[in-house]
Amino acid sequence: MKLYVKAAVFTLVVLGGFGGLVPALLVRGRDAADGALFVLAVCLMAIGAAMYLRCVWDFAVFGKGTPAPIDEPKRLVVRGLYRYTRNPMYVGLLTLISGWAILFASVVLAWCGVFLFVFFSMFVRLYEEPHLSRKFGAEYEVYKARVGRWLPRFSRSRGGAVNPPGLSGGRADR
């Protein structure tokens, strides 16, 4: 199966399922917010989906793989949103779910987001980071030291996000 088809299928399942279908089922029958909350929620949902899609693109085009662990990127992806956080794909999905929670004033979806964050945090610390350290060695260790796990690190001298110099390839955390 071609790389882009595999990436599209994975995206349909994860983004379409966890970022779309599941939240829609959890809030069905509820009224959506209006006014400023509606705008905020839709913006968060669009930003979250765009972040996720950009990461899938970088995995496929630059990493030569997909977000699926069975077909992971061959190179360490440190471009795009991965210059700012090691886990922009997870951040994007959580941002999307936050938008759903705000749009429908759903405490259940807010708790789902908290649960997913805890799950993602454990998965990243217990599986992904050790796996990437073994696979990419010093390149990943340098990247990990310079780029925050969830939030960008800012340099006081330059006032901007730290960009790992000399790194130009393939895969980072999702």
Side-chain angles (χ1 to χ4, degrees):
M1 189 182 310
K2 291 200 178 225
L3 176 65
Y4 298 111
V5 172
K6 290 187 277 187
V9 168
F10 187 85
T11 298
L12 184 62
V13 170
V14 173
L15 192 60
F18 293 107
L21 182 61
V22 170
L25 291 173
L26 289 174
V27 298
R28 71 176 169 221
R30 296 183 75 150
D31 292 330
D34 56 6
L37 280 180
F38 177 83
V39 172
L40 173 64
V42 170
C43 286
L44 286 173
M45 293 167 79
I47 290 168
M51 288 175 69
Y52 186 94
L53 293 170
R54 169 61 196 256
C55 293
V56 171
W57 172 263
D58 285 341
F59 268 38
V61 172
F62 303 105
K64 305 299 181 204
T66 72
I70 60 170
D71 190 25
E72 64 188 12
K74 313 307 181 256
R75 297 181 347 184
L76 184 66
V77 176
V78 295
R79 57 187 320 134
L81 298 173
Y82 288 96
R83 291 180 302 171
Y84 306 104
T85 172
R86 297 193 314 262
N87 296 288
M89 195 175 297
Y90 294 142
V91 171
L93 188 58
L94 292 170
T95 301
L96 175 61
I97 291 169
S98 297
W100 276 100
I102 291 169
L103 183 62
F104 290 98
S106 174
V107 174
V108 170
L109 278 176
W111 278 109
C112 285
V114 169
F115 172 78
L116 277 175
F117 177 72
V118 169
F119 174 79
F120 292 157
S121 293
M122 291 172 49
F123 184 72
V124 163
R125 288 176 188 216
L126 299 176
Y127 172 74
E128 280 193 353
E129 289 180 346
H131 173 72
L132 294 170
S133 288
R134 284 189 305 274
K135 183 171 182 174
F136 297 111
E139 183 182 20
Y140 181 70
E141 294 302 320
V142 168
Y143 173 70
K144 190 167 80 167
R146 293 189 176 163
V147 177
R149 180 181 285 132
W150 300 108
L151 298 173
R153 292 183 183 154
F154 293 95
S155 167
R156 292 180 187 193
S157 62
R158 294 186 304 176
V162 177
N163 191 8
L167 296 177
S168 63
R171 180 188 200 254
D173 302 334
R174 290 172 207 34

